[in-house]
Every structure is written in C-alpha cells, then in structure tokens.
Amino acid sequence: AQKVTQAQTEISVVEKEDVTLDCVYETRDTTYYLFWYKQPPSGELVFLIRRNSFDEQNEISGRYSWNFQKSTSSFNFTITASQVVDSAVYFCALKRGGSEKLVFGKGMKLTVNP
Amino acid sequence: NAGVTQTPKFQVLKTGQSMTLQCAQDMNHNSMYWYRQDPGMGLRLIYYSASEGTTDKGEVPNGYNVSRLNKREFSLRLESAAPSQTSVYFCASTRSGPTYGYTFGSGTRLTVV
C-alpha cells in the first residue's frame, strides 16, 4: 500500500526565515512519482514539482528547493527567506508507476508572519 | 484557457436532498478525478475515470455516484446527502500516464445541514 506522511500539521514562522516541510512516503514500487502542491488561502491547488523515483537529483527553483532521498523515503521541501505570500497549505503526494491515482498526505499549513 | 471548471462553487443542502456536482475540462485529458478535502484528512479520492466510458472507486466512494458523460465532463452525484458529506470537493484531470500531475478545479464547498 502507498502512504504519504506529513508529520508537521502546522508551522508558523516570521518572514525571511527558512522553513523545511517534511514528507515521508511508503511504497513497494520501484517506479513512482512524487509531487508537491500548494493550496493558498484562496483554495485552489497549485502544482509545484514532480520528481521521478529514479532521479534523486535535488532541485532548486528560486527560493524553493526540494531534497529527494530514497534511502530515507523522504521528499522534503525548503523555502528560503520565506515571504507572507508563501502562507498556504502544502501537500506532498505519491503516484505509483502504472497507476493513475495520486495519494496525498494530510497537508501542512504554513503561516508566514510579517 | 479555462482548464478545469467546477460548478457550483458553493452549495447548501438539507439532509436527504440530492445534487450533482459538475466538472468539465478543456485540455483533452483522458483521466478525471473527484476528491474531497476535510480538515486534517488531506485529499481523499472518491472516484476516478481513466478514460471516457470507465469509472472506478477510490478510497471513499460510499454515498456517491459518478458519470463520465464524455471526454470533457465528469459529474459527481449525491443521491441522499448526509451531514458527513459536508466537505470541499475538487475535480481534477490529467493526461494519461503516471508522470503527469493533476490540474485541479477551484473546488465546490458543500454544506449539508
């Protein structure tokens, strides 16, 4: 069975702090795909990144970076120099190879205070 | 460039009433999904449709039915609404294949009283 665990339910930081959102996944598949989505207060779900199981290269996009480690089954997301606009609920998700279904973690609410 | 369109955005139902949530996508995606989002529960899959003419149950299908009317449209029906179905409902679509992420609609906030 597949499972995604986001142990932190809520984090509050002050603007310009760095913050890391943890994601741990479980799957028996060798081919799988990991995703992060952002849900701002307006409610829509915004795709942030996808990572394949056979590509452990970390990725940086502006203030966002992702650290994928198969050895610890983790796909953590770091926001550098956080801003108020980063306040949102962030979801980590997993899709097994050959499946159409996306399994979500329970989400982590990030509040960035000015 | 509409993407995924859900209607209505808000709805209040009385227990026992029925209603249909509509979803349409204009991206020529094969796969479509219905999720519900509840506080502390994340998003849970209700039903999905991998292609036109096919539907399958997800994690929480009880109390719901779906129809994949054509490639564009995937509706979710509550035959006899219950307070436990109070939730935010999201429709999503994606191209076929596991490498693609989903495009989500803006959600329907449903309250059953």
Side-chain angles (χ1 to χ4, degrees):
Chain A
Q2 300 177 98
K3 185 178 179 181
V4 176
T5 301
Q6 295 179 257
Q8 309 144 308
T9 56
E10 196 163 347
I11 294 178
S12 181
V13 300
V14 176
E15 205 169 19
K16 298 184 182 178
E17 281 187 46
D18 298 347
V19 58
T20 295
L21 286 57
D22 297 331
C23 173
V24 174
Y25 62 92
E26 296 176 29
T27 180
R28 294 181 180 177
D29 297 298
T30 55
T31 301
Y32 53 89
Y33 304 85
L34 295 162
F35 300 79
W36 275 96
Y37 280 84
K38 174 182 180 179
Q39 186 178 41
S42 53
E44 74 273 21
L45 284 148
V46 178
F47 167 78
L48 294 178
I49 191 172
R50 184 204 79 217
R51 176 60 76 218
N52 307 327
S53 57
F54 38 87
D55 180 5
E56 283 194 78
Q57 188 173 14
N58 292 330
E59 181 153 341
I60 298 174
S61 177
R63 295 184 297 106
Y64 295 172
S65 63
W66 290 268
N67 182 3
F68 176 31
Q69 291 193 332
K70 290 178 74 171
S71 61
T72 55
S73 297
S74 64
F75 186 42
N76 296 336
F77 173 29
T78 298
I79 301 174
T80 301
S82 60
Q83 300 177 1
V84 173
V85 293
D86 296 325
S87 296
V89 179
Y90 291 87
F91 292 96
C92 182
L94 168 68
K95 185 190 281 191
R96 62 188 302 187
S99 172
E100 298 289 337
K101 294 185 286 186
L102 200 55
V103 175
F104 285 85
K106 294 185 177 181
M108 198 286 299
K109 182 177 181 181
L110 173 65
T111 302
V112 182
N113 298 299
Chain B
N1 191 11
V4 178
T5 302
Q6 288 183 239
T7 56
K9 294 190 181 301
F10 301 94
Q11 184 71 50
V12 179
L13 289 179
K14 293 182 179 179
T15 297
Q17 286 185 319
S18 63
M19 81 160 294
T20 299
L21 280 62
Q22 306 288 350
C23 176
Q25 52 89 11
D26 61 2
M27 297 170 287
N28 202 35
H29 286 170
N30 288 321
S31 302
M32 297 185 74
Y33 308 81
W34 278 105
Y35 282 84
R36 61 178 288 173
Q37 182 180 15
D38 303 291
M41 301 296 290
L43 286 94
R44 294 181 292 170
L45 182 64
I46 304 171
Y47 271 94
Y48 68 102
S49 171
S51 62
E52 184 180 353
T54 68
T55 60
D56 286 287
K57 295 179 180 179
E59 183 184 354
V60 288
N62 292 342
Y64 306 96
N65 285 301
V66 291
S67 295
R68 183 74 182 268
L69 305 171
N70 48 55
K71 192 171 186 178
R72 291 186 63 249
E73 299 172 287
F74 187 39
S75 61
L76 178 71
R77 183 161 178 83
L78 288 70
E79 291 290 351
S80 179
S84 60
Q85 294 178 304
T86 294
S87 187
V88 180
Y89 292 86
F90 286 97
C91 178
S93 70
T94 185
R95 295 173 63 178
S96 292
T99 63
Y100 299 103
Y102 292 6
T103 300
F104 283 88
S106 57
T108 295
R109 184 174 294 276
L110 175 67
T111 302
V112 183
V113 297

